[in-house]
Amino acid sequence: MINVVIFGPPGSGKGTQGQIIAEKYNLEHVSTGDLLRAAITNNTREGVIAKSYIDKGELVPDETIIDMIDGLLEKLPMDRGVLFDGFPRTVAQAEALAEILKEHGRDLSTMLNLEVEEEELITRLLKRGETSGRSDDNMETIKKRLEVYNSQTLPVMDFYQTKGLYKAVAGMGTVEEIFERIAAVLDSVEAAK
Ligand code: B4P
């Protein structure tokens, strides 16, 4: 059983690859972005908090995110691995994840970083914005999300590099080509277990 973090800037394909990985490796797909958007649709307490941050391209406060993940892990079957998509996004979240996994008798197998050029990220997100209806897929908010990624999320890479869990994956190309690269990493991680 493997537990995996899929990491990368906005538009790097975390959600796209996350769905495929979860299906092929039989993992629970936990996307904080999807959970927050569902909370907004359902107008829950978390949703009301999250909306004001997401609309501005800012990160939702760590406490809200960590509580959400902690509560969710309680409910997941112990015989299945988990794929974390869009989480952790700060070093505080990465530290909390390590604690939460330990409490639940799990450990992290690897962190996959999707590497994509910034110009391509903007192109992908603007294209999605034409049809997604997402309040954060517009030029102004995309620029803010990229700034926030560079200042608050990039340090998470060092956190996992130090722990020996970091794997870089080239995130340019077709969805299928990128998945093949991811599968090569995950197969070797599984084989080493
Ligand atoms: P997310 O939903 O995680 O949004 P994202 O970073 O933009 O990634 P997403 O998964 O949507 O896009 P993807 O790269 O798959 O978060 C949204 C907001 O929620 C954040 O800004 C923040 O405010 C908040 N939030 C979420 N998690 C949080 C946390 N842990 N802490 C604090 N706040 C949090 O793909 C983008 C597009 O590229 C898609 O349209 C896809 O079709 C396309 N694409 C994918 N692969 C492609 C390829 N190979 N070629 C061409 N296009 C491709």
Side-chain angles (χ1 to χ4, degrees):
M1 188 179 75
I2 53 173
N3 295 297
V4 177
V5 166
I6 186 149
F7 183 89
S12 56
K14 300 181 297 289
T16 308
Q17 295 297 334
Q19 276 185 9
I20 309 172
I21 298 167
E23 195 194 314
K24 302 263 174 161
Y25 289 84
N26 190 29
L27 304 177
E28 294 283 343
H29 184 188
V30 174
S31 156
T32 42
D34 288 350
L35 289 168
L36 293 169
R37 282 184 289 277
I40 292 170
T41 304
N42 296 324
N43 207 21
T44 64
R45 194 180 61 87
E46 284 94 352
V48 173
I49 299 172
K51 186 164 173 30
S52 60
Y53 293 93
I54 291 179
D55 285 355
K56 285 187 279 184
E58 288 171 5
L59 294 184
V60 175
D62 286 338
E63 196 194 336
T64 306
I65 300 287
I66 293 164
D67 285 353
M68 192 170 80
I69 292 286
D70 199 11
L72 183 72
L73 275 197
E74 295 274 337
K75 299 183 201 132
L76 295 184
M78 278 306 294
D79 57 350
R80 260 183 110 186
V82 183
L83 176 77
F84 296 96
D85 161 2
F87 172 84
R89 263 178 153 96
T90 62
V91 171
Q93 291 182 18
E95 283 165 349
L97 177 62
E99 278 300 306
I100 294 169
L101 287 173
K102 204 159 127 201
E103 276 166 30
H104 292 274
R106 297 177 186 263
D107 59 6
L108 194 65
S109 314
T110 192
M111 183 268 219
L112 302 172
N113 177 34
L114 290 173
E115 295 181 320
V116 179
E117 288 158 20
E118 187 161 310
E119 211 182 297
E120 169 75 5
L121 299 172
I122 295 172
T123 306
R124 287 183 190 179
L125 293 172
L126 285 177
K127 183 155 177 254
R128 182 172 68 185
E130 291 167 13
T131 53
S132 67
R134 270 178 60 163
S135 58
D136 56 350
D137 280 343
N138 58 74
M139 194 50 150
E140 193 189 340
T141 315
I142 291 167
K143 288 221 159 121
K144 177 70 185 173
R145 284 155 70 195
L146 290 170
E147 252 174 62
V148 166
Y149 173 80
N150 287 325
S151 61
Q152 296 182 53
T153 305
L154 263 184
V156 173
M157 263 192 229
D158 288 343
F159 178 91
Y160 287 114
Q161 254 160 352
T162 310
K163 299 218 174 308
L165 292 171
Y166 176 89
K167 301 271 183 209
V169 175
M172 305 278 288
T174 66
V175 170
E176 294 74 23
E177 283 164 351
I178 299 161
F179 178 70
E180 272 179 35
R181 293 174 203 140
I182 291 174
V185 175
L186 291 183
D187 289 348
S188 71
V189 167
E190 267 191 333
K193 279 211 107 168

